[in-house]
Amino acid sequence: MKWTDIPASVVLAAADICDGHTIFKPEAFLEVGVPQELVDRCTNIYESDFSNPKYTISGPDGKPVNQMRGVYGLDALSSMIRDFGLPAEVKFGRGSQAYVWRDALRAHLAQTAEN
């Protein structure tokens, strides 16, 4: 299953929660209508790198954790961009990258809806 297999409204709802920094519980994507199969495809175990604060994962209490299972928003957006075959403009900074990819998805899906 790909992002292109689900309604545009669900793709956009999923994209809208992605900020480029957060590892979400898989349930967050199920709640906006993403099918389990696609959520499973995007769910991974992420490991902290304690040598660099930018790559140290914090748990819900704000304390560092060794690893976290979930859907990293930037990976989900990258998967959407790939599935739709959109140009993956590269930006410096995870938040900026997420913003550009969300906009590309919105523009593409809006154009598709018009045709």
Side-chain angles (χ1 to χ4, degrees), residues 11 15 22 38 40 43 45 59 61 72 80 83 89 94-95 111:
V11 174
T22 305
L38 197 48
D40 290 346
T43 301
I45 295 175
D61 60 1
Y72 176 41
M80 293 174 200
D83 284 358
E89 182 181 351
R94 295 177 280 179
Q111 181 180 29

Side-chain angles (χ1 to χ4, degrees), residues 8 17 26 28-29 36 39-40 43 46-47 49 57 59 61 69 74 89 95 98 104 107:
I17 65 173
F29 289 86
Q36 183 72 54
V39 172
D40 290 346
T43 301
Y46 296 92
E47 303 278 336
D49 175 357
I57 301 168
D61 60 1
R69 180 183 174 278
L74 204 55
E89 182 181 351

Side-chain angles (χ1 to χ4, degrees), residues 3 12 14 28 48 66 75 86 107:
W3 290 100
L12 292 175
S48 278
N66 289 325
D75 286 349
L86 300 176

Side-chain angles (χ1 to χ4, degrees), residues 15-39:
D16 283 346
I17 65 173
C18 297
D19 61 6
H21 299 279
T22 305
I23 299 171
F24 295 91
K25 290 182 180 182
E27 295 79 19
F29 289 86
L30 294 171
E31 289 171 6
V32 298
V34 179
Q36 183 72 54
E37 182 180 348
L38 197 48
V39 172

